Amino acid sequence: MSNEPEQRSAERSTPDAPRVRLHGDADEGLAAALASRGFVVVDATSAGDHERPTDVDCLVVDTEGTATERRRPDGDPVVLYAPAPTAVSDPTRFAGYARTGDVDALCDQLRWVVAREPTQRAAHTERVRDDARLETLHEGTVSLIQATTPTDLFERTVDIASRLLEFNSCYIAIAEGDVLVKQAGVGDVSDESLSVDHGLVGDSYQTGVTHLVQDTYAHPEADPARPSHRSGIAVPLGEDGVFVVIADEPDAFTGADRGLAELLVRYTEGTLARIQSAEAIQERRELIETLHDGTAALAAVTTLEAAAAVAVELAERILSFDTCYVGVREGDTIVPYAVSSGAPADAVRPMTLSEGLVGKTLRTGEPQLVDRVDGSDAEPTKDTYRSGISVPLGDQGVFQAVSTAEAAFDTNDLELAELLADHLTGTFSRVRAEADLGEQRERVAQLHAATVELVSCHDVAELYERAIATARSVLGFDTAYIFVAGDDQFVPVAQVTHEDHDPVRPVPLDHGVASETYRSGQSRLVRDVSTAEAAEPLQTSAGGGISVALGDDAVFQAVSRDPDTFGEFEVELAELLASHVTANRERLRAEAELRSQRDRLSALFENIPDAAVSYRLVDDEPHVEAVNPAFERVFGFTSEQLVGENLDEYVIADDDEKRAEARQLNDRLRAGESVRAECQRQTEGGLRTFILQVVPLELGQENVAGFAIYTDITDRQERERELRRQNERLEEFANIISHDLRNPLAVASGYLDLAAETGDPAAFERVEASLDRMDRLVEDLLSLARKGQVVGEPSPLDLATVATQAWAGVRTLDATLERPESLPVEGDEGRLIELFENLFRNAIEHAGEAVTVRVEALAGPDGAVDGFAVADDGPGIPEAERDTVFDPGETTSTAGIGYGLAIVKRIVEAHGWSLSVTDARDGGARFEVTF
């Protein structure tokens, strides 16, 4: 202990001694103690400010000083020197603590805090930088979400990376087979592809592991594509590819860089999955539509072999199945009926129901998806087959597709195969049904020939009549009829009857076999009506009958005179006829609805009162397909002139700006937008304003055609403008009346008070004169308001006399008027009196009751009088306010309402004169009126 003072003294003045600043009530003893232990005390006074020297390493505060340091300068560590940590509300705000009086502990805390501060500041700087980059990343993800294609997405990703990371090169490569093809990049990035097993880039793609390489020369597996590539990061992009950043110097990237790169790629993966999902959905939709269109060919086949061949061709062409076949069940054997054109001769063979995947498919009636042949029930005919699809064709056969690759098919492929199989199964059923007729082939052929004629029917009524005629002539049904279900009964719409039978009549919906067929949709064969349950025959001499549903709203029935006349074969014929009738009926209804819609649209197009045009975009220009009569009338061109022509060349004014607007409009229409905008178009009567409403045929999709309607709003806008002008004029007249009545009213009021006091008859006369003046003013202004003008017919006047009259009509108090002897002019006397009254009142209100007002003539260059001026000796009008003094409501006086000078300006302009304001020679305001 005896050596302690010498040790502290030895620490006193080293160049790197910590610099400490004391705050609060620290005494000089503490500063001396710290100095003796090697600290430099920069300021030992009580601190009330928040400024800090740039060379202070740490602050020391006591209990009182804590309050002043509640918001300590950023970056300065603070040590609490107090009796206890609980002396402050939040001890965690301080970098260290020492009990009051324990100087050694305080010194230890100060050294520890100062020693770790550089590291903490560096870490803080790095965290700030990382936070900024994270913010940049999150902002960039908004751009990723807006990407619509993989290429667009990759380019946006590389752009974001260029703002996050410091590198020389960056690219995204997508796997295509055995190579990684570069899709987007910046820097030293060539178009050459890389093998999927090339170096760490390939390894990252194959293993899904991110690689951070600090020095490619020192890494045995790096294998850089360029010798200049010294360090880099490779991040797997899901199962699609890899994201790579490269620097030309070693140790260019950190773990934080790696984390940011991985986070960016995760965002890209999510967006790519969304884009791919949308593309897959669209592709699947188009594929299904194409498949549906293709299966129409099955309707024309007449043999199982032909149907199988069509199905295999569709699977190859539309579903892209390389090797597929159709097997048909013959007894207990599945026999190949059709196989892919490129398949080898031994690709398929007959198989029994107990063999392999084919047998399992038919036995279970369930479709099969095999990702790996090994370990499955499959017994492929060739050892090279590794995966496949097997779909039952009802109980009639099986459709299969195989591949030499494992997991070559997915559930989408299986669903598409099932869709094709459904069509093929239906076709098989039809072909078999037709073939099963056997000996009745001629009748079937006749029925087909007859049903072909059904296509030429123009409406459903004609279709029903022809169907009944076919039932008699081809099928040999002597009595047959078609019932259509109404609200509460079956109504016969077509019938043919044997001479022994009576025509049928409407019957209730719950009547006999017809009701059963209608409700169940199932055909009914009645061999003998006398023994059949719920037969309820409509004919007294009925023996048997057939009842077949025609869709969900009609029933076909045939009746024989003798029992056991009809069998299953006749039912099949009736069902075949019914299927053709139903199909043609739905076609006719659809065509009728389309015609109705077309007729309604055509009528609307022709009769709409606004100009309308049907257009088609050709090379991004709207070419006319049709115009309505209103369009011809408004724009002055006939339909023959416009059809096939570029509409913009006829209706767009010869103006670059308007043509540019038209091109922008065309771009929006092509993108599938519905447009409503105000525009101007060149018409037969000149340039007019329209509300243009343009609707493409399909919203939200790229379009080439649509309709445009032009609603002329030119007259409406003019009426609105005129209404606004009238309202403004009425408001102005109301303001003038309220303003100019105030002065004679004040005069009358003053003289009325004088008369009440003195009884002087002259005072009453002045009151009466003021009231007369008010009456004339109201009458004149109302007359002018009704006429819509500001001044009446001008007449020769003497402005000196007019000014005197106006002066008499203003409460002038002690003011003085100076005027010339004579000043001839032509004008409206009443309005000029108003002009002078407002100027005189303005002078009195702003210059005081003793103001001197001068009316002077203005001489032109030739000496002739070309105007007059009214000036006063008041304070004048500041130059900055001279542009606004004539605005309605503008005033600097508490006595006025701000309309006097506005009225003066209107009266001057109505006479065709000009008005200006300047300085008078006495410093007051001077208003000059120039003729």
Side-chain angles (χ1 to χ4, degrees):
M1 295 293 293
S2 60
N3 294 329
E4 184 175 341
E6 287 76 7
Q7 293 173 356
R8 293 174 181 169
S9 177
E11 297 171 353
R12 182 167 297 175
S13 304
T14 60
D16 297 327
R19 302 177 67 82
V20 179
R21 180 184 178 194
L22 304 181
H23 277 248
D25 290 339
D27 56 20
E28 295 182 0
L30 177 59
L34 291 176
S36 68
R37 287 166 170 77
F39 291 91
V40 176
V41 180
V42 175
D43 181 10
T45 62
S46 178
D49 59 76
H50 295 277
E51 299 181 0
R52 63 180 179 88
T54 58
D55 55 354
V56 172
D57 297 313
C58 187
L59 304 178
V60 177
V61 299
D62 59 11
T63 306
E64 179 181 352
T66 304
T68 65
E69 290 300 321
R70 187 171 301 277
R71 293 187 298 173
R72 63 183 183 273
D74 184 32
D76 287 346
V78 180
V79 174
L80 175 63
Y81 186 58
T86 56
V88 295
S89 59
D90 184 10
T92 61
R93 295 186 300 106
F94 300 92
Y97 165 73
R99 187 182 303 275
T100 301
D102 193 346
V103 178
D104 290 337
L106 176 60
C107 292
D108 292 339
Q109 287 290 308
L110 289 173
R111 292 191 183 95
W112 178 75
V113 168
V114 171
R116 71 169 185 166
E117 181 59 19
T119 302
Q120 287 188 330
R121 290 192 178 181
H124 173 74
T125 301
E126 184 64 24
R127 285 196 302 272
V128 170
R129 178 173 177 267
D130 290 344
D131 289 345
R133 294 200 292 173
L134 278 174
E135 182 68 22
T136 300
L137 173 60
H138 286 300
E139 291 174 355
T141 58
V142 176
S143 171
L144 295 184
I145 294 173
Q146 296 171 348
T148 57
T149 65
T151 300
D152 182 23
L153 173 63
F154 298 152
E155 290 175 351
R156 290 171 185 258
T157 300
V158 171
D159 177 65
I160 295 172
S162 67
R163 287 179 274 140
L164 289 178
L165 306 171
E166 296 181 1
F167 53 74
N168 296 102
S169 305
C170 175
Y171 65 87
I172 291 177
I174 298 301
E176 295 182 5
D178 294 334
V179 296
L180 292 168
V181 180
K182 297 172 183 175
Q183 303 289 325
V186 294
D188 183 17
V189 178
S190 64
D191 294 333
E192 65 186 59
S193 302
L194 301 175
S195 171
V196 293
D197 57 1
H198 182 91
L200 291 180
V201 172
D203 183 76
S204 183
Y205 163 69
Q206 291 183 324
T207 65
V209 175
T210 299
H211 290 294
L212 169 59
V213 179
Q214 298 292 14
D215 191 345
T216 57
Y217 289 3
H219 200 293
E221 299 177 5
D223 195 10
R226 296 279 190 278
S228 60
H229 297 171
R230 292 299 307 276
S231 59
I233 301 174
V235 183
L237 183 59
E239 297 180 356
D240 297 286
V242 63
F243 168 84
V244 180
V245 291
I246 301 168
D248 292 345
E249 67 277 350
D251 300 314
F253 302 106
T254 66
D257 294 330
R258 168 180 173 159
L260 286 171
E262 289 179 322
L263 189 56
L264 172 60
V265 172
R266 296 296 84 78
Y267 282 121
T268 302
E269 283 180 3
T271 305
L272 179 61
R274 175 185 60 77
I275 293 173
Q276 290 173 336
S277 175
E279 291 178 343
I281 291 172
Q282 181 62 25
E283 181 180 355
R284 176 177 171 78
R285 183 182 296 114
E286 294 173 354
L287 200 60
I288 291 174
E289 291 177 356
T290 305
L291 183 59
H292 274 297
D293 294 341
T295 54
L298 292 172
V301 302
T302 57
T303 66
L304 299 182
E305 290 81 2
V310 169
V312 168
E313 189 275 332
L314 292 176
E316 287 184 292
R317 176 169 56 85
I318 299 176
L319 304 185
S320 301
F321 292 168
D322 294 334
T323 303
C324 57
Y325 97 107
V326 174
V328 178
R329 180 176 180 177
E330 294 181 2
D332 292 335
T333 305
I334 297 93
V335 179
Y337 268 44
V339 66
S340 298
S341 57
D346 58 348
V348 294
R349 62 173 175 82
M351 302 183 73
T352 66
L353 291 178
S354 61
E355 286 187 275
L357 200 60
V358 170
K360 180 179 180 180
T361 302
L362 276 177
R363 290 195 308 272
T364 63
E366 298 292 334
Q368 308 292 324
L369 173 61
V370 179
D371 290 332
R372 295 184 61 189
V373 168
D374 295 341
S376 71
D377 295 325
E379 298 177 14
T381 56
K382 294 183 68 64
D383 294 338
T384 55
Y385 295 153
R386 291 290 179 266
S387 60
I389 289 174
S390 186
V391 182
L393 304 175
D395 60 356
Q396 305 177 69
V398 64
F399 169 85
Q400 282 195 336
V402 295
S403 174
T404 57
E406 292 184 352
F409 306 98
D410 57 20
T411 55
N412 286 332
D413 295 320
L414 181 61
E415 291 174 1
L416 291 170
E418 289 182 279
L419 181 60
L420 174 60
D422 287 343
H423 286 284
L424 183 56
T425 302
T427 302
F428 272 10
S429 298
R430 176 182 61 79
V431 171
R432 286 184 184 276
E434 294 170 356
D436 287 345
L437 295 178
E439 60 193 37
Q440 304 296 332
R441 187 179 302 277
E442 182 61 29
R443 291 179 65 188
V444 173
Q446 291 176 355
L447 179 59
H448 272 296
T451 54
V452 169
E453 296 298 322
L454 297 179
V455 177
S456 62
C457 292
H458 295 90
D459 54 45
V460 175
E462 181 184 358
L463 173 66
Y464 286 155
E465 292 293 344
R466 287 200 184 187
I468 290 298
T470 300
R472 163 171 276 189
S473 63
V474 176
L475 304 185
F477 298 163
D478 291 335
T479 298
Y481 29 79
I482 293 176
F483 285 120
V484 172
D487 293 336
D488 56 1
Q489 62 182 358
F490 288 114
V491 178
V493 294
Q495 58 179 302
V496 59
T497 57
H498 188 270
E499 59 185 10
D500 295 337
H501 291 158
D502 297 325
V504 295
R505 64 189 185 282
V507 296
L509 287 179
D510 59 355
H511 182 85
V513 176
S515 175
E516 178 185 328
T517 303
Y518 169 66
R519 299 184 187 284
S520 67
Q522 301 296 316
S523 301
R524 173 81 183 274
L525 169 62
V526 178
R527 295 184 182 276
D528 189 343
V529 298
S530 64
T531 59
E533 181 180 356
E536 298 186 42
L538 297 175
Q539 304 295 343
T540 57
S541 59
I546 295 172
S547 186
V548 179
L550 296 176
D552 57 2
D553 62 353
V555 175
F556 168 83
Q557 287 193 331
V559 178
S560 67
R561 288 168 297 162
D562 302 316
D564 297 319
T565 301
F566 300 136
E568 296 295 340
F569 173 65
E570 283 72 24
V571 174
E572 292 175 359
L573 289 177
E575 289 177 335
L576 186 59
L577 173 61
S579 68
H580 284 283
V581 172
T582 302
N584 280 281
R585 183 186 62 189
E586 298 309 312
R587 175 184 57 80
L588 287 169
R589 287 176 175 174
E591 291 176 353
E593 179 62 23
L594 288 175
R595 284 195 300 273
S596 176
Q597 291 180 1
R598 184 180 63 246
D599 293 344
R600 290 196 297 269
L601 180 60
S602 177
L604 176 63
F605 183 79
E606 289 294 322
N607 297 322
I608 188 172
D610 295 328
V613 57
S614 172
Y615 70 88
R616 178 170 295 277
L617 292 177
V618 178
D619 296 331
D620 296 337
E621 296 176 343
H623 285 237
V624 177
E625 292 194 326
V627 297
N628 70 345
F631 190 96
E632 294 179 327
R633 183 177 62 256
V634 171
F635 290 95
F637 300 106
T638 65
S639 176
E640 291 74 14
Q641 290 176 293
L642 291 172
V643 171
E645 298 294 324
N646 181 359
L647 176 64
D648 289 348
E649 294 182 357
Y650 286 81
V651 301
I652 302 297
D654 189 13
D655 179 273
D656 292 341
E657 182 178 351
K658 288 184 171 54
R659 292 191 179 277
E661 291 175 355
R663 286 193 294 272
Q664 293 176 354
L665 175 66
N666 296 337
D667 292 340
R668 294 175 61 188
L669 296 177
R670 187 179 60 256
E673 293 186 37
S674 178
V675 175
R676 176 184 173 87
E678 182 177 313
C679 66
Q680 289 187 321
R681 292 293 184 265
Q682 190 67 42
T683 70
E684 186 176 32
L687 197 64
R688 296 186 70 82
T689 303
F690 296 89
I691 292 295
L692 173 60
Q693 300 181 86
V694 190
V695 181
L697 291 183
E698 293 188 46
L699 293 174
Q701 299 185 20
E702 186 164 320
N703 281 265
V704 295
F707 294 90
I709 299 175
Y710 294 86
T711 303
D712 193 336
I713 61 171
T714 308
D715 295 339
R716 187 186 76 189
Q717 287 184 333
E718 181 57 34
R719 288 194 298 273
E720 291 173 351
R721 285 193 292 268
E722 179 60 27
L723 181 59
R724 283 194 298 270
R725 286 194 295 267
Q726 291 177 358
N727 289 337
E728 291 169 359
R729 192 158 56 244
L730 288 173
E731 181 179 358
E732 179 181 1
F733 280 127
N735 290 331
I736 291 173
I737 291 173
S738 65
H739 182 271
D740 283 10
L741 282 176
R742 188 165 55 86
N743 194 60
L745 184 60
V747 173
S749 177
Y751 279 108
L752 186 60
D753 291 341
L754 180 62
E757 293 176 2
T758 64
D760 184 0
F764 285 108
E765 292 175 0
R766 297 298 296 271
V767 171
E768 182 179 5
S770 293
L771 293 176
D772 290 341
R773 168 67 182 145
M774 291 167 59
D775 183 65
R776 288 196 306 273
L777 179 61
V778 170
E779 289 297 326
D780 290 346
L781 288 177
L782 288 177
S783 174
L784 292 175
R786 295 187 188 103
K787 294 178 181 179
Q789 57 189 18
V790 179
V791 298
E793 188 68 27
S795 60
L797 302 169
D798 181 4
L799 277 183
T801 302
V802 170
T804 301
Q805 291 175 321
W807 186 262
V810 176
R811 190 175 184 181
T812 56
L813 301 175
D814 296 328
T816 303
L817 173 67
E818 297 178 0
R819 64 175 183 80
E821 289 296 325
S822 177
L823 184 55
V825 69
E826 286 193 358
D828 182 333
E829 182 179 12
R831 297 317 303 275
L832 289 177
I833 290 175
E834 288 183 59
L835 181 149
F836 280 112
E837 285 179 341
N838 280 291
L839 288 175
F840 294 159
R841 185 170 62 245
N842 180 74
I844 294 170
E845 289 176 349
H846 291 82
E849 298 176 352
V851 65
T852 297
V853 181
R854 294 184 301 278
V855 178
E856 304 170 344
L858 295 179
D862 58 354
V865 174
D866 66 353
F868 65 92
V870 177
D872 61 55
D873 58 359
I877 299 175
E879 186 173 353
E881 299 177 7
R882 294 175 184 175
D883 291 337
T884 61
V885 293
F886 299 110
D887 294 342
E890 182 68 26
T891 181
T892 59
S893 169
T894 58
I897 61 172
Y899 283 95
L901 294 182
I903 295 172
V904 169
K905 182 178 180 182
R906 289 297 306 272
I907 295 173
V908 169
E909 291 177 345
H911 281 83
W913 304 336
S914 62
L915 175 66
S916 63
V917 59
T918 183
D919 292 328
R921 62 174 177 264
D922 298 329
R926 178 182 175 86
F927 295 91
E928 295 184 348
V929 178
T930 305
F931 301 152

